[in-house]
Structure formats: C-alpha cells, structure tokens
Amino acid sequence: MLVYTFVFSFVMRLGIKDYAVFLISALLSWNFLANSVSYGANCIVANSNLVNKIYFPREIIPLSVVFANLFNFILEMTALVIVLIFLGYDFYIYLYWLPVLIIVEFFLVAGLTLLVSALNVFFRDLSHLINILIMIWFFGTPIIYPINMVPERFQAILRYNPMTTITSMFRNMFYNVKYPENLMWPDWKVIVITLAVVAIIFMLGYFIFKRLEPRFAEEI
Amino acid sequence: MTEENIKDLKERKENPITNSSGQLRDVNDYAVSVRNVTKRYRIHYEKNPSLKETIIHLRRTKFIEFLALDDVSFDVKRGETLGIIGPNGSGKSTMLKLISRILRPNKGEVLVNGTISALLELGAGFHPDLTGRENIFINAAILGMKRRDVEKKFSEIVAFSELEKFIDMPVKNYSSGMYMRLGFSVAINVNPDILLVDEVLAVGDQSFQAKCYKVIYDFIKQGKTIIIVSHDLGTIQDLCNRVIFLKNGKIEQIGGPVAVVSSYREFVENIEMERAHEQQKDERKKIFQTIIENNQKVISGEDIDRLAATNLGSNIINRFGSGDAEITDIRLLDSKGQQIDYCKYGDEISIEFDAVFKAEVEDPIFGIRIVDFKGNTVYGTNNRLNNITVGVLKQGDKIKVVFKNKIVLMGGVYYVSPSVGYKDFRTYCDWVNNMLTLNVIKHNKAEGIADLNTNMSIHRSN
C-alpha cells in the first residue's frame, strides 16, 4: 500500500489529494474480494481430509473463508475510521450505506468463492488462472485511479463491473465526503445492473457448487 | 466384557427387534435402508485433473471405472447392530461412506432415519496447531454438535480420553495414541441415533479399548443402531445380531453372525490355501532341483522338513528315502477295527501302516506326522519317543505299525505322513508325504486346531 501511495503520489502525479486515503477507501473492499477468491480456490482441496472422512454441508468450507475475510475487512475499516477521525474526515455522513454495501459485496464474494472452490476440485490448475484474472479485474476497476480518468466510452463498460459501483460507493463514503465535488452517486440503472450481476453470480456459484458437491469426495 | 453385557447381548440376539407386522417399508421401522445401490469409482490415469489438459484434449482425462458396489440392497432395523465383513476391496468402507453421505451412489438410494455419527477416521478434522481443547470444539462442531452441548459435555469428553494433563497442549505434540483417543472421545459423545464404525475400535491400550467396547455396549443397550466394519471377526460375532458378507461389491451372504462369520472364515482359508499352494510350488521345485543336482540318494530329515513345509494344502503324495523299506499301505480304523473315511471329536481311532523291508536295517524308527491344511505340524510321534525298540530287521520282514489315538482335533482336513527312518534320525528308508487324509467333522462350538473341551462358567464376584 505504501508502494501504491508512493508511486501514485510522487511518480505518476495524478494530482489527487490525500492519495493514501483515496486508495485505501476503495482498496479494502477490493482486498476482501481478492483474498477470499484466491484463497477460496484451494480451500476444498486443502481440506481433503475433512471432505473425505466426515459429512457436513460442504459450502461451510468456502463460506468460512469468506467470513474470515469479511471479519478482517471490518477490522481494517475500523482502523481506517480511526485514521479518518484524526484527519478530520466526516466519514459518518454516508455511513448508513455501509451495511447495504457489505451485504451486496458479501453475496458477490460468496458466489465467486463457491464457484471457484468447486471448479478447482475438478481443474487443479484453475487457481493459477484465477490469480491472473483477479489481477486483470483489479486494473479494470477504478481503485488506484479515479473513474473520471477513464475515457467516456470505456466508462460504459466499467458500469457492468459490479466492483466499480461497490468500490466507488466505499470511496464516496470514506474519501469523497471531504471532496464533495468528486461525489458521484451511481444512477438507478447502474444500481440495477450491479444488483442483477451480483445476484446472477451468487446464484450461479451456489448452483454449480451444489451440483458438483456430491462428487467432491471421490475427485479429491 | 462384563457379565451384564453378555447377558444383555444374549437376550438381544435371541429376541431381535422386529415389529409385529414384519413390514420393513414403514418409515419409522428402519434406521438405514440401502436400495439397489451401485457405486462406481473413476480411476484417473493422470495425477490431477487440469484445465490445460482438458482444453488441449477437448475432454476430460482418461479414466477406468471400478465397480465398488453392485446393486446392493439391505435394511437395517432400529436398534440393530449390523456387521459388515469381507476381503479388502469388497466395498465395505464405500458402503459406510455412502450411508454417511460422504459419497453419493451412482444408482439407487440410501435412506437414513436419524442422525449419524461416523467413526471413519479418528481425529480427521484436528488442526495440529490448536490445543486439544480447541480441537474438541471444532471437531464436535464439524460432527454436528451445538456449542452449548459441547460445553456441557466437555469435561466428560476430556475425562473419557484421559488427556486432562495435555488438553491445553497443541495436538501436534500428541502421540498418535493420544490423538486417536481424543478423536474417539469426541465422536462417541456426539450421541447420534446411528453410529458407523470403521475399524477404529482398536484404539489405545487395553484399558482404553475396554472402555471403548463398554461405550459401544451402552449404545446397543440404549437401542441405537450401529453398523460396524471390521476384520476382527471375534468382535463382529460378539457385537452384531446380523452380519453382511460383502465380496466384490456384492452381498455374498446376510444373516446371523455365527453362520456368516464362519462362511467368511472358510472363504478366507480357501484363499489362503490357494495362495500358499502357489507360492510353495516354486520352492518345492527348487528343493528338488538341489537334491537332483547333488545326486543325493538318501534324503535327509532336514530336506523332508523343508519339503513338508512347502507342501501346503496339497495331498499330492511325495515319496523319499533310500528304499531299504517301503510303506505299502495306510489305513484309518475305528475302535472296532473297521476301516473308516472320517471321524469326529472324541472318537477312538487308530492309524495303521504296513512296511516291507528290502534290506537289513538296524533299529529303524517308525513314525507319523499329522499336519493341517496350512502345513502346521499338529502332532508327530515315533517308536523311539514311545520307548519301543525293534532291533535288527532283515530283508523280507513285513511290519504293521499301529498308532491308537483319541481325536481331540477341531473339525477340518488333516494329512498323515508315515515314515520309516534310520536310527540316526536324519535319513529315511521311506517317507510318504500326506499319504492319508484325516477328515474330522466340523462342529461350530469353538475355533482353532485343538479342542480343549472347555467347561465354561461365569460367576458374579461382587
């Protein structure tokens, strides 16, 4: 994070005030997703002794990964809030968005983790691919750069990325409160698209997981 | 095993739990119902499936199918203790995994009525870095126990495992015995309706094992359903009121413990016999080869012992010796002198053989050796051991040797080898391997080779 801050404040010179806060406000929610998915990819295979010997609902394993990362995420946000108090940010103004955002992101992360954890049992090299995809996704989401730096025609594509909406909402909440001129509330169309994508990913992940679950024990 | 337990089991065996109508399809009557279950395993040629391979070959990697269970059906009634026995690879553990829902059948269904706890592998979910205490909570949660129940039962679990001193130590520092004990204690305290046990009763030392059995007996007494997979046929016979004998994924036999266990024993003995026979064929060839190579006319006692040891399970007559005497006949007679083909325990019988001398032999030794089908010497004797000397025997002398015996053998097939040897105890005039087959009729009152005719009684000592 220090590296990002250094590079973007002094090297790239995007001209963003308080770049550390700008970055962290969005990066924390991204890390929740990235850590859950990349660790979750291996979680069923890593717990093969459990899967082979004891019956319990298998989705507990990937969900435990998601919940552990969610817990970390909340702790990190608490630390961020303490820092924001010292820096004089009015973080509480839009804080009512927090539970909604966490719930939406949770469903997205849970769906993806279920999906990759189940598929990784059948294709063991998937976890390498996933790390690359996450990296691409990271740069395709306005986290290290503000969305208005992106050319107009690409912004439309970014709208279909649910993490664009989620990270910018977190950024509104924590960073843009001090710079109201940057506040950009997504319009209802974007919100609908985001919710729909999240719902589809969650249902797809859960459905595929449940479909493949009976074969876990013998494939591991 | 206390007297109480024995009595209890006896009663249970005599009055197996049945419902009045005899219907099994009643939902509340059976604990587990296995219906036409088929389970196939895919055995992949490659180590791990990978996306790369799949894309390159446009399909999943090659595999062969292994049929672990083939159209198996049975019901387990509530309160019944069912044993599953069978050779390795017969599908016993697969059956338990199907019942515990770890695996799903390819065809058919497994219906389960009640909560299940499976002792498939003890301490399967333990995390090595966590303490015994933490692992109890985690393992119990995985096995489906609520936190409050674990807290209530915690001291009971620890006391049962006898690990009070070590409970706050990371389990990675535990010995394997301690590990298993903790695993068993947690699993047994989950208090399920149906307990699945796979070869895990042999945990810890004698006193702990006794405790494990006591818990199992308590389970039986509480009317819980137990399914045991074990190679320990004694345990199976003691605990179960019904036994399934699985072979190559099919039910070979299902029924009472005594009948099924004994037919399984027979099956194992047959396999053992065949295998031993194959193995020893080569060895026998080798011994003959050396005898021929060394141009030995007279075969030493050592060689005969070695040959006898390689003659497992065969009644092929092999003959050795210098030929100074020849054994011409051997007979099995009853107490009245009638020739018989078989006998039973307690019979007074005699084994007779005739020998003709072709040359002068000083102080020959007449002997017999009785071996079982595995080639174990059951009994052997000769005139020297019976303090009989015969002096010098001349060419043309005909001798009849009589051995009067009382049969104290258990049922089975035994072979008798008569011999005429020189006085040096090492070389033989004639030695006929397994010349007589001694059939002893089976009775199922005991097991082993010798019938010690036990008179058993049990007394209350408190």
Side-chain angles (χ1 to χ4, degrees):
Chain A
M1 215 145 353
L2 275 174
V3 175
Y4 280 126
T5 312
F6 177 79
V7 168
F8 287 96
S9 318
F10 299 103
V11 183
M12 301 282 288
R13 292 174 192 276
L14 293 174
I16 295 166
K17 290 171 203 152
D18 270 345
Y19 185 75
V21 178
F22 169 85
L23 176 69
I24 291 168
S25 60
L27 191 65
L28 291 186
S29 60
W30 173 261
N31 281 347
F32 170 40
L33 179 128
N35 292 342
S36 302
V37 174
S38 70
Y39 184 73
N42 275 318
C43 67
I44 302 260
V45 178
N47 285 298
S48 59
N49 57 334
L50 274 184
V51 175
N52 261 326
K53 297 294 174 192
I54 303 175
Y55 177 76
F56 55 91
R58 306 302 186 202
E59 54 269 34
I60 286 174
I61 299 176
L63 287 185
S64 75
V65 171
V66 176
F67 274 108
N69 280 298
L70 177 64
F71 186 71
N72 271 346
F73 176 39
I74 290 170
L75 282 186
E76 286 165 357
M77 278 194 294
T78 315
L80 174 64
V81 162
I82 292 165
V83 173
L84 292 183
I85 291 169
F86 281 106
L87 295 175
Y89 280 77
D90 300 327
F91 63 91
Y92 43 84
I93 294 177
Y94 301 118
L95 205 61
Y96 56 84
W97 278 108
L98 189 64
V100 181
L101 284 175
I102 287 178
I103 288 167
V104 172
E105 192 181 351
F106 172 81
F107 277 100
L108 175 68
V109 173
L112 282 171
T113 309
L114 285 169
L115 180 72
V116 297
S117 66
L119 289 178
N120 194 54
V121 174
F122 298 89
F123 306 110
R124 296 297 161 82
D125 52 353
L126 193 69
S127 55
H128 306 295
L129 187 66
I130 281 166
N131 285 331
I132 297 166
L133 292 178
I134 286 177
M135 183 104 92
I136 296 168
W137 194 2
F138 175 70
F139 289 108
T141 306
I143 295 166
I144 48 175
Y145 53 85
I147 190 162
N148 50 25
M149 270 186 69
V150 180
E152 283 284 336
R153 54 206 162 103
F154 291 126
Q155 275 190 29
I157 300 168
L158 283 186
R159 251 177 229 150
Y160 291 97
N161 174 0
M163 281 311 278
T164 306
T165 322
I166 291 169
T167 52
S168 24
M169 288 294 279
F170 273 105
R171 180 163 287 155
N172 281 344
M173 210 164 56
F174 291 130
Y175 175 78
N176 290 341
V177 280
K178 203 173 177 182
Y179 311 97
E181 70 276 11
N182 293 333
L183 272 175
M184 283 203 326
W185 298 104
D187 59 31
W188 66 270
K189 256 192 201 161
V190 175
I191 288 172
V192 167
I193 290 171
T194 303
L195 288 179
V197 171
V198 168
I200 288 168
I201 288 178
F202 180 77
M203 285 192 296
L204 192 73
Y206 188 77
F207 177 75
I208 288 179
F209 188 91
K210 275 293 171 192
R211 194 67 192 273
L212 297 175
E213 183 192 338
R215 285 165 59 197
F216 284 174
E218 40 191 309
E219 288 288 342
I220 276 177
Chain B
M1 204 193 295
T2 66
E3 187 198 340
E4 212 180 313
N5 285 333
I6 294 172
K7 211 181 105 197
D8 213 74
L9 276 166
K10 242 188 181 168
E11 268 170 24
R12 249 166 51 82
K13 267 181 196 168
E14 279 156 15
N15 315 306
I17 297 157
T18 44
N19 83 354
S20 47
S21 58
Q23 285 284 322
L24 269 178
R25 287 287 176 257
D26 179 11
V27 179
N28 292 315
D29 202 34
Y30 62 83
V32 177
S33 177
V34 175
R35 297 175 186 180
N36 304 87
V37 163
T38 297
K39 179 72 202 170
R40 277 187 295 272
Y41 284 116
R42 287 177 174 186
I43 299 165
H44 291 270
Y45 285 119
E46 269 144 76
K47 266 186 301 184
N48 276 328
S50 78
L51 190 61
K52 200 171 77 186
E53 290 291 321
T54 314
I55 291 168
I56 291 169
H57 296 122
L58 291 175
R59 63 183 152 76
R60 290 211 59 194
T61 48
K62 280 186 200 164
F63 57 85
I64 47 166
E65 286 205 327
F66 171 72
L67 195 61
L69 285 173
D70 187 6
D71 198 23
V72 172
S73 304
F74 61 89
D75 288 308
V76 186
K77 281 173 240 157
R78 270 169 193 277
E80 197 172 33
T81 308
L82 179 82
I84 303 179
I85 54 178
N88 287 331
S90 59
K92 304 184 296 293
S93 296
T94 303
M95 194 68 249
L96 282 198
K97 282 190 174 179
L98 286 170
I99 295 171
S100 65
R101 289 198 291 169
I102 292 170
L103 297 174
R104 307 287 163 88
N106 295 88
K107 258 186 228 154
E109 52 181 351
V110 179
L111 303 175
V112 174
N113 220 331
T115 58
I116 285 189
S117 175
L119 297 178
L120 297 186
E121 189 165 299
L122 296 172
F126 284 172
H127 193 294
D129 288 331
L130 297 178
T131 65
R133 182 187 301 275
E134 288 160 334
N135 268 310
I136 288 177
F137 278 96
I138 291 176
N139 208 234
I142 291 170
L143 293 172
M145 245 173 125
K146 290 203 177 65
R147 192 186 173 85
R148 212 180 301 146
D149 298 335
V150 186
E151 275 163 6
K152 250 187 253 165
K153 283 203 152 183
F154 184 77
S155 55
E156 216 176 297
I157 293 172
V158 177
F160 190 90
S161 68
E162 301 167 10
L163 290 169
E164 289 91 342
K165 270 190 232 161
F166 310 102
I167 201 66
D168 286 314
M169 228 158 84
V171 294
K172 66 180 170 191
N173 298 335
Y174 280 21
S175 73
S176 56
M178 289 157 78
Y179 202 84
M180 302 278 263
R181 256 149 58 198
L182 192 65
F184 189 88
S185 310
V186 176
I188 209 76
N189 274 293
V190 174
N191 206 19
D193 301 326
I194 302 161
L195 185 71
L196 308 180
V197 183
D198 188 358
E199 212 62 88
V200 288
L201 287 173
V203 181
D205 58 16
Q206 290 281 301
S207 87
F208 191 78
Q209 276 187 34
K211 244 162 79 172
C212 296
Y213 279 105
K214 171 129 192 350
V215 174
I216 301 282
Y217 281 117
D218 287 345
F219 264 79
I220 295 175
K221 245 190 266 176
Q222 287 165 33
K224 304 207 166 178
T225 313
I226 303 180
I227 302 177
I228 302 178
V229 164
S230 182
H231 287 290
D232 180 2
L233 298 177
T235 306
I236 293 277
Q237 216 164 340
D238 284 349
L239 292 174
C240 303
N241 42 17
R242 215 149 57 100
V243 179
I244 289 177
F245 170 15
L246 275 182
K247 198 173 106 190
N248 296 330
K250 280 185 174 162
I251 293 182
E252 180 82 5
Q253 199 183 350
I254 180 163
V258 177
V260 178
V261 166
S262 74
S263 73
Y264 176 60
R265 275 217 173 92
E266 218 162 286
F267 166 78
V268 171
E269 278 168 7
N270 280 336
I271 284 187
E272 219 171 289
M273 230 166 78
E274 262 165 44
R275 191 187 297 150
H277 191 62
E278 285 299 310
Q279 250 178 19
Q280 310 292 342
K281 250 188 188 166
D282 296 334
E283 225 165 293
R284 203 155 56 221
K285 241 183 224 166
K286 252 186 250 163
I287 296 170
F288 274 121
Q289 212 79 48
T290 46
I291 289 168
I292 291 162
E293 273 167 23
N294 297 345
N295 214 357
Q296 277 173 269
K297 289 247 166 68
V298 179
I299 292 170
S300 71
E302 266 170 63
D303 278 337
I304 287 171
D305 282 343
R306 275 162 64 205
L307 280 166
T310 62
N311 249 324
L312 302 187
S314 81
N315 49 7
I316 303 160
I317 292 172
N318 291 307
R319 190 161 205 153
F320 317 104
S322 64
D324 286 350
E326 192 192 325
I327 295 165
T328 51
D329 191 22
I330 188 164
R331 296 172 297 276
L332 179 67
L333 305 175
D334 67 8
S335 53
K336 290 170 197 144
Q338 297 286 321
Q339 195 158 344
I340 50 173
D341 293 323
Y342 55 85
C343 55
K344 61 178 192 300
Y345 172 78
D347 280 359
E348 302 271 357
I349 56 124
S350 45
I351 297 166
E352 284 183 14
F353 71 83
D354 299 327
V356 183
F357 280 79
K358 306 275 166 79
E360 191 178 286
V361 180
E362 194 193 339
D363 275 343
I365 297 161
F366 299 98
I368 52 165
R369 176 183 291 185
I370 301 175
V371 296
D372 69 0
F373 75 93
K374 286 181 189 162
N376 297 320
T377 302
V378 176
Y379 185 67
T381 190
N382 58 44
N383 53 310
R384 191 71 68 83
L385 295 172
N386 286 299
N387 289 321
I388 303 168
T389 39
V390 286
V392 179
L393 288 172
K394 295 197 180 67
Q395 186 180 356
D397 280 351
K398 286 185 180 171
I399 301 294
K400 182 166 96 169
V401 189
V402 180
F403 298 86
K404 279 205 165 166
N405 299 298
K406 186 178 176 186
I407 292 294
V408 290
L409 295 170
M410 292 291 297
V413 178
Y414 301 87
Y415 301 102
V416 183
S417 308
S419 66
V420 181
Y422 295 102
K423 63 176 177 180
D424 66 356
F425 259 107
R426 291 179 44 81
T427 50
Y428 287 82
C429 307
D430 197 8
W431 203 99
V432 189
N433 203 23
N434 299 346
M435 195 174 184
L436 177 74
T437 306
L438 181 65
N439 286 306
V440 182
I441 291 170
K442 282 198 178 191
H443 65 90
N444 273 327
K445 281 178 194 150
E447 52 182 306
I449 297 173
D451 193 332
L452 303 182
N453 194 17
T454 307
N455 193 353
M456 188 184 164
S457 59
I458 295 166
H459 308 275
R460 197 180 276 279
S461 50
N462 59 349

